[in-house]
């Protein structure tokens, strides 16, 4: 199993290259698109080379999710807490984007390790922004409290026009994913994968992992969810998160794992499909090779039979000539 990294490799590489060449006036304008339709736009001007403008576009949220000024609730506070004086949020953001930040690269620490850690955190802006509501709920869970002023069922966006749901309680948080796939083959593979995924959770080595369940129908906790949000052709996956799963450094890992669970499943479904296609192609190639090897043997056997028959005829001619 492969887990996706929270830091965008594209963003991290651009940031590292820019910091290494900070004294050079280089104009920069580049864009990138990541899974689940998250887009980045980086700009650096010749006039102000110490500033880097980073814009980010999020997946289109479905109606049931809560967005404040184009961002998930708690995102602004999460950005300020994560980046401090390094980042200034520009309002309004650039057209077509949900968030635009200006990074003052002069504010980076001089220590190389601290500098790299902070740049890696900037490259993880996706987790900081999209994971902000999830982090708020799980932080309250760590202290065994229910977040105030939130509904009993919270919808969070993770893919374009798709959401997953949180049902927070004082001693646990139930997380439910309606699993949807466009391709019929992906749907079949996903159901098989999820059933095995739930079964693997029952092994002795995963006793401390969050309980996991799969069902073809919506679980009872989604009774208050809108009907249009419950259309899932691959069933529903449920995780139950307890305070022990969000203690200390476990919080960051839990937030990212829950935020990208659908992408994690999609990745392994595509890998499984590609593996099976490779196996089928190899099998077909081996059968073709077997058929190719069989063709010369048939021709050789025909030639040998003709040679034997000609030899017999020649012997009979010799005998007839002798008798005569």
């Amino acid at each position: 199993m492969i887990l996706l990294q929270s830091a965008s490799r594209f963003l991290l590489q651009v940031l590292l290259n820019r910091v290494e060449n900070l004294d050079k006036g280089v104009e920069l304008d580049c864009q990138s698109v990541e899974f689940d339709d998250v887009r980045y736009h980086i700009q650096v001007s010749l006039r102000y080379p110490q500033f880097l403008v980073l814009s980010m576009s999020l997946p289109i949220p479905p109606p049931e999710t809560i967005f404040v000024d184009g961002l998930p609730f708690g995102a602004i506070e999460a950005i300020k807490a994560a980046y401090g004086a390094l980042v200034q949020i520009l309002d309004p953001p650039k057209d077509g984007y949900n968030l635009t930040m200006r990074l003052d690269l002069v504010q980076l620490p001089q220590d190389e390790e601290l500098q790299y850690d902070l740049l890696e955190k900037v490259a993880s802006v996706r987790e900081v922004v999209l994971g902000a509501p999830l982090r708020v709920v799980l932080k309250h869970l760590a202290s065994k409290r229910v977040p105030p002023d939130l509904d009993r069922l919270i919808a969070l966006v993770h893919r374009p026009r798709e959401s997953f749901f949180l049902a927070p309680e004082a001693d646990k948080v139930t997380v439910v994913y309606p699993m949807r796939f466009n391709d019929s083959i992906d749907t079949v593979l996903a159901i098989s994968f999820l059933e095995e995924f739930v079964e693997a959770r029952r092994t002795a080595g995963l006793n401390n992992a969050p309980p996991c369940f799969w069902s073809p129908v919506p679980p009872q906790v989604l009774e208050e969810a809108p009907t249009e949000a419950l259309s899932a052709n691959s069933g529903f996956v449920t995780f139950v998160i307890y305070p022990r799963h969000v203690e200390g450094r476990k919080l960051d890992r839990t937030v990212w794992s829950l935020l990208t669970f659908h992408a994690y499943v999609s990745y392994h479904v595509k890998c499984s499909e590609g593996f099976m296609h490779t196996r089928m192609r190899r099998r077909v190639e081996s059968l073709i090779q077997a058929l190719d090897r069989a063709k010369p043997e048939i021709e050789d056997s025909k030639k040998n039979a003709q040679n034997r028959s000609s030899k017999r005829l020649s012997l009979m001619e010799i005998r007839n000539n002798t008798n005569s």
Side-chain angles (χ1 to χ4, degrees), residues 64-108:
E64 64 270 12
T65 56
I66 303 174
F67 265 46
V68 180
D69 295 330
L71 294 172
F73 69 88
I76 298 296
E77 293 77 7
I79 293 171
K80 294 178 180 179
Y83 307 129
L86 175 66
V87 166
Q88 177 186 0
I89 300 175
L90 302 184
D91 189 21
K94 184 181 176 181
D95 290 343
Y97 292 87
N98 299 82
L99 172 68
T100 299
M101 306 184 301
R102 184 170 63 184
L103 282 67
D104 186 357
L105 301 179
V106 178
Q107 299 292 332
L108 288 169

Side-chain angles (χ1 to χ4, degrees), residues 4 22 25 28 49 72 76 85 138 149-150 177 188 230 261 284 312:
L4 300 171
L22 190 58
L28 183 65
I76 298 296
L138 295 182
D149 303 326
L150 290 180
Y177 298 86
V188 174
L230 301 180
F261 176 72
V284 171
R312 290 174 183 173

Side-chain angles (χ1 to χ4, degrees), residues 164-178:
F164 67 102
F165 297 90
L166 307 180
E169 300 179 36
D171 59 340
K172 65 179 180 180
V173 173
T174 304
V175 186
V176 184
Y177 298 86

Side-chain angles (χ1 to χ4, degrees), residues 178-240:
M179 303 299 294
R180 305 177 183 91
F181 293 88
N182 295 328
D183 187 80
S184 59
I185 297 177
D186 290 353
T187 301
V188 174
L189 292 176
I191 292 175
S192 177
F193 176 87
L194 293 171
E195 289 176 341
E196 291 296 327
F197 186 87
V198 172
E199 191 65 27
R201 164 60 183 82
R202 300 175 183 174
T203 59
L206 298 175
N207 287 334
N208 293 326
C212 178
F213 310 95
W214 178 85
S215 172
V217 296
Q220 187 175 2
V221 71
L222 295 184
E223 286 182 343
E224 299 180 4
T227 306
E228 58 273 13
L230 301 180
S231 58
N233 56 9
S234 298
F236 296 81
V237 179
T238 303
F239 291 99
V240 182

Side-chain angles (χ1 to χ4, degrees), residues 141-142 144 171 201 207-211 240-248 250 254:
L141 174 64
K144 297 184 178 181
D171 59 340
R201 164 60 183 82
N207 287 334
N208 293 326
V240 182
I241 309 300
Y242 292 102
R244 68 176 184 271
H245 299 131
V246 293
E247 295 173 348
K250 293 180 181 179
T254 302

